[in-house]
Amino acid sequence: GNSVTQMEGPVTLSEEAFLTINCTYTATGYPSLFWYVQYPGEGLQLLLKATKADDKGSNKGFEATYRKETTSFHLEKGSVQVSDSAVYFCALMLNNAGNMLTFGGGTRLMVKP
Amino acid sequence: DAGITQSPRHKVTETGTPVTLRCHQTENHRYMYWYRQDPGHGLRLIHYSYGVKDTDKGEVSDGYSVSRSKTEDFLLTLESATSSQTSVYFCAISGGQGAYGYTFGSGTRLTVV
């Protein structure tokens, strides 16, 4: 079946540190890949996406590259801010799967000033 | 705004009572979804809809029913609420396949006492 595995959190960083949140997937086909962010007390918001191998999604200083050879979609940011503290979810969608998103378990990021 | 609203935002109810949560969209999207979010479990799909009167079960559908009589409204009903259904419930909408992803509502925090 299809699944998404994320590194367990919480991840605690100091402001301006480099961030990597690992995400790997298993899929029967060629999925689109997404990162969602959830700020405290809110719903999930789409952060970035990539639809085919070697695509790079980017938004708000975050980026992730679709790596088919390693089935990965790791999220990176060069310099985190306190305002980036949130829960980050990796997800995949197969085009032939009724528009269903499969989510990873989420990774909580805490950024300290 | 994103064009999706959930009501109520918070609800406390007693065990054994029926409860209905409402998701309303103004985007005319075909697909609508209900998820629950619990610590340690991430997001789990309860039910989804792929059109008016067309619904299907997700991975945690026991004890829940849904209805979609209009494109814009997707109702989630807990037939007889139990304490295990205390959770945060999110509705999501999607307009199409693949790269569109989902837009999430702000969530309903339900407490069953």
Side-chain angles (χ1 to χ4, degrees):
Chain A
N2 305 316
S3 66
V4 177
T5 301
Q6 294 180 232
M7 59 191 294
E8 294 210 12
V11 174
T12 304
L13 296 173
S14 297
E15 207 165 22
E16 299 183 1
F18 184 86
L19 168 71
T20 300
I21 299 179
N22 290 339
C23 170
T24 57
Y25 67 88
T26 302
T28 54
Y30 301 101
S32 296
L33 300 172
F34 305 82
W35 276 101
Y36 283 82
V37 58
Q38 184 180 30
Y39 299 104
E42 299 183 12
L44 280 71
Q45 303 173 27
L46 179 63
L47 180 60
L48 53 84
K49 65 184 180 186
T51 58
K52 61 183 187 297
D54 299 325
D55 270 3
K56 177 184 283 188
S58 61
N59 186 26
K60 300 181 180 180
F62 291 89
E63 58 182 34
T65 301
Y66 189 144
R67 300 287 188 199
K68 181 181 169 185
E69 63 275 14
T70 54
T71 61
S72 65
F73 193 55
H74 304 323
L75 183 68
E76 297 182 336
K77 187 175 185 183
S79 176
V80 295
Q81 305 301 311
V82 172
S83 58
D84 294 326
S85 298
V87 181
Y88 293 82
F89 291 89
C90 186
L92 69 83
M93 181 185 290
L94 282 166
N95 291 340
N96 61 350
N99 212 51
M100 304 302 296
L101 264 177
T102 299
F103 287 92
T107 302
R108 181 176 298 278
L109 170 66
M110 299 172 61
V111 181
K112 298 185 175 181
Chain B
D1 224 347
I4 175 173
T5 55
Q6 292 184 231
S7 58
R9 291 296 311 276
H10 302 274
K11 186 169 181 67
V12 180
T13 192
E14 294 187 348
T15 298
T17 60
V19 177
T20 295
L21 309 183
R22 180 179 184 238
C23 179
H24 178 78
Q25 60 144 330
T26 57
E27 304 295 322
N28 200 37
H29 282 342
R30 177 182 176 188
Y31 298 92
M32 300 184 76
Y33 310 82
W34 277 108
Y35 286 86
R36 59 179 289 174
Q37 184 177 31
D38 304 288
H41 292 277
L43 283 160
R44 293 182 291 176
L45 181 66
I46 305 171
H47 281 279
Y48 65 99
S49 170
Y50 44 95
V52 173
K53 299 191 189 305
D54 291 325
T55 64
D56 208 346
K57 296 178 179 180
E59 63 177 302
V60 290
S61 59
D62 287 348
Y64 301 94
S65 62
V66 289
S67 66
R68 192 167 177 201
S69 59
K70 299 184 290 185
T71 297
E72 56 266 35
D73 289 325
F74 192 33
L75 304 180
L76 176 71
T77 297
L78 288 66
E79 306 289 350
S80 176
T82 68
S83 58
S84 64
Q85 293 176 312
T86 293
S87 186
V88 180
Y89 292 85
F90 287 100
C91 178
I93 60 175
S94 177
Q97 300 280 348
Y100 290 96
Y102 293 179
T103 300
F104 282 81
S106 298
T108 294
R109 182 174 295 277
L110 176 68
T111 303
V112 183
V113 298

